[in-house]
């Protein structure tokens, strides 16, 4: 099994806030991330596809096609956006990295199978900061 990864970048703002809670509880749980005026991050998304290399191309997946797919289906919808207000696939959901990476998986997993004969989505790693990231394996 070979694992191939592509890293993409986007900038976005969000706030962590549960509308069912009081302002005090939101601040207690989320701290400055509950800031009423949002806060932003320089996100890094690492998409890993696993599979056996195609004997004719030597590729598990064509990385140019993978990059185009990620940009069209995910990055263009997130970059320079407010995750709470501008992103249709997060509507009604908490804009945490954990929820975001699950929703990205739902978008990419079936589409990767369309562009690779042998590859499938193995994992997503989403860096919110250089020290904080979430990883999801579907």
């Amino acid at each position: 099994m070979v694992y191939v990864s592509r890293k993409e970048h986007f900038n976005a703002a969000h706030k962590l806030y549960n509308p069912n809670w009081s302002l005090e509880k939101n601040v207690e749980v989320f701290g400055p991330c509950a800031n009423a005026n949002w806060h932003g991050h320089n996100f890094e998304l690492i998409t890993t596809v696993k599979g056996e290399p195609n004997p004719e191309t030597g590729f598990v997946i064509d990385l140019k096609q993978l990059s185009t797919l990620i940009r069209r289906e995910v990055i263009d919808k997130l970059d320079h956006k407010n995750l709470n207000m501008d992103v249709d696939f997060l509507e009604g959901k908490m804009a945490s990295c954990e929820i975001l990476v699950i929703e990205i998986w739902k978008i990419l997993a079936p589409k990767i199978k369309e562009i690779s004969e042998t590859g499938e989505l193995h994992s997503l790693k989403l860096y919110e900061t250089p020290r904080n990231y979430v990883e999801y394996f579907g």
Side-chain angles (χ1 to χ4, degrees):
M1 189 71 58
V2 178
Y3 298 81
V4 180
S5 297
R6 174 72 188 182
K7 180 165 52 169
E8 299 287 349
H9 175 86
F10 65 95
N11 300 307
H14 70 152
K15 73 175 172 182
L16 300 178
Y17 191 88
N18 185 329
N20 298 316
W21 294 350
S22 68
L23 174 61
E24 294 76 23
K25 182 166 182 175
N26 275 285
V27 170
E28 177 187 330
V29 172
F30 300 122
C33 293
N35 180 4
N37 293 315
W38 322 99
H39 67 282
H41 296 284
N42 299 312
F43 290 92
E44 300 286 345
L45 176 65
I46 300 172
T47 302
T48 301
V49 176
K50 68 179 177 181
E52 297 296 330
N54 180 308
E56 293 179 4
T57 64
F59 296 163
V60 171
I61 192 165
D62 181 321
L63 284 171
K64 184 175 181 184
Q65 287 185 27
L66 179 60
S67 177
T68 299
L69 172 69
I70 296 166
R71 290 198 89 28
R72 182 183 69 237
E73 298 295 330
V74 176
I75 303 302
D76 290 348
K77 296 176 182 178
L78 298 174
D79 192 34
H80 287 83
K81 299 292 184 350
N82 180 314
L83 301 180
N84 300 79
M85 300 173 69
D86 301 330
V87 180
D88 61 350
F89 62 84
L90 287 176
E91 188 174 333
K93 298 177 176 81
M94 182 67 75
S96 69
C97 285
E98 292 89 331
I99 300 300
L100 179 55
V101 80
I102 291 168
E103 296 305 313
I104 293 170
W105 180 283
K106 291 175 186 176
I107 293 167
L108 291 180
K111 298 209 177 274
I112 285 171
K113 290 183 179 190
E114 294 174 9
I115 63 169
S116 175
E117 293 177 13
T118 63
E120 64 181 86
L121 186 55
H122 172 70
S123 68
L124 294 172
K125 189 180 284 189
L126 181 64
Y127 281 84
E128 183 178 52
T129 72
R131 294 188 184 130
N132 296 335
Y133 67 89
V134 296
E135 198 164 11
Y136 187 60
F137 294 90

